[in-house]
Short mmCIF file of all heavy atoms in Angstrom, two decimals:
data_model
loop_
_atom_site.label_atom_id
_atom_site.label_comp_id
_atom_site.label_asym_id
_atom_site.label_seq_id
_atom_site.Cartn_x
_atom_site.Cartn_y
_atom_site.Cartn_z
N THR A 268 -15.62 -2.95 -9.15
CA THR A 268 -16.89 -2.28 -8.86
C THR A 268 -16.76 -0.78 -9.10
O THR A 268 -16.37 -0.03 -8.20
CB THR A 268 -17.29 -2.52 -7.38
OG1 THR A 268 -17.26 -3.92 -7.10
CG2 THR A 268 -18.67 -1.98 -7.08
N PRO A 269 -17.05 -0.33 -10.29
CA PRO A 269 -16.99 1.11 -10.53
C PRO A 269 -18.25 1.82 -10.03
O PRO A 269 -19.34 1.27 -10.15
CB PRO A 269 -16.85 1.22 -12.05
CG PRO A 269 -17.44 -0.04 -12.57
CD PRO A 269 -17.31 -1.09 -11.51
N TYR A 270 -18.08 3.01 -9.52
CA TYR A 270 -19.23 3.79 -9.06
C TYR A 270 -19.81 4.64 -10.18
O TYR A 270 -20.93 5.12 -10.07
CB TYR A 270 -18.81 4.69 -7.89
CG TYR A 270 -18.52 3.92 -6.62
CD1 TYR A 270 -18.03 4.56 -5.50
CD2 TYR A 270 -18.74 2.56 -6.54
CE1 TYR A 270 -17.76 3.87 -4.33
CE2 TYR A 270 -18.48 1.85 -5.38
CZ TYR A 270 -18.00 2.51 -4.28
OH TYR A 270 -17.74 1.81 -3.14
N GLY A 289 -21.62 -3.03 -10.01
CA GLY A 289 -21.64 -1.57 -10.06
C GLY A 289 -21.94 -1.07 -11.45
O GLY A 289 -22.65 -1.71 -12.23
N ASN A 290 -21.40 0.09 -11.75
CA ASN A 290 -21.75 0.75 -13.00
C ASN A 290 -20.86 0.33 -14.17
O ASN A 290 -20.06 1.10 -14.69
CB ASN A 290 -21.75 2.26 -12.79
CG ASN A 290 -23.00 2.71 -12.05
OD1 ASN A 290 -24.10 2.30 -12.40
ND2 ASN A 290 -22.83 3.52 -11.04
N ASP A 310 -25.32 -2.29 -12.59
CA ASP A 310 -26.38 -1.32 -12.28
C ASP A 310 -26.93 -0.70 -13.56
O ASP A 310 -27.92 0.02 -13.52
CB ASP A 310 -25.83 -0.19 -11.41
CG ASP A 310 -25.50 -0.67 -10.00
OD1 ASP A 310 -25.79 -1.84 -9.69
OD2 ASP A 310 -24.95 0.13 -9.23
C1 LIG B 26 -24.15 3.52 -10.17
O1 LIG B 26 -24.69 4.76 -10.55
C2 LIG B 26 -25.97 5.02 -9.98
C3 LIG B 26 -26.50 6.31 -10.59
O2 LIG B 26 -25.56 7.34 -10.45
C4 LIG B 26 -25.84 5.11 -8.47
O3 LIG B 26 -27.10 5.32 -7.88
C5 LIG B 26 -25.25 3.80 -7.96
O4 LIG B 26 -25.02 3.90 -6.56
C6 LIG B 26 -23.95 3.51 -8.66
N1 LIG B 26 -23.45 2.20 -8.24
C7 LIG B 26 -22.39 2.08 -7.42
C8 LIG B 26 -21.98 0.69 -7.05
O5 LIG B 26 -21.77 3.04 -6.97
#
Side-chain angles (χ1 to χ4, degrees):
T268 308
Y270 290 175
N290 283 314
D310 290 355

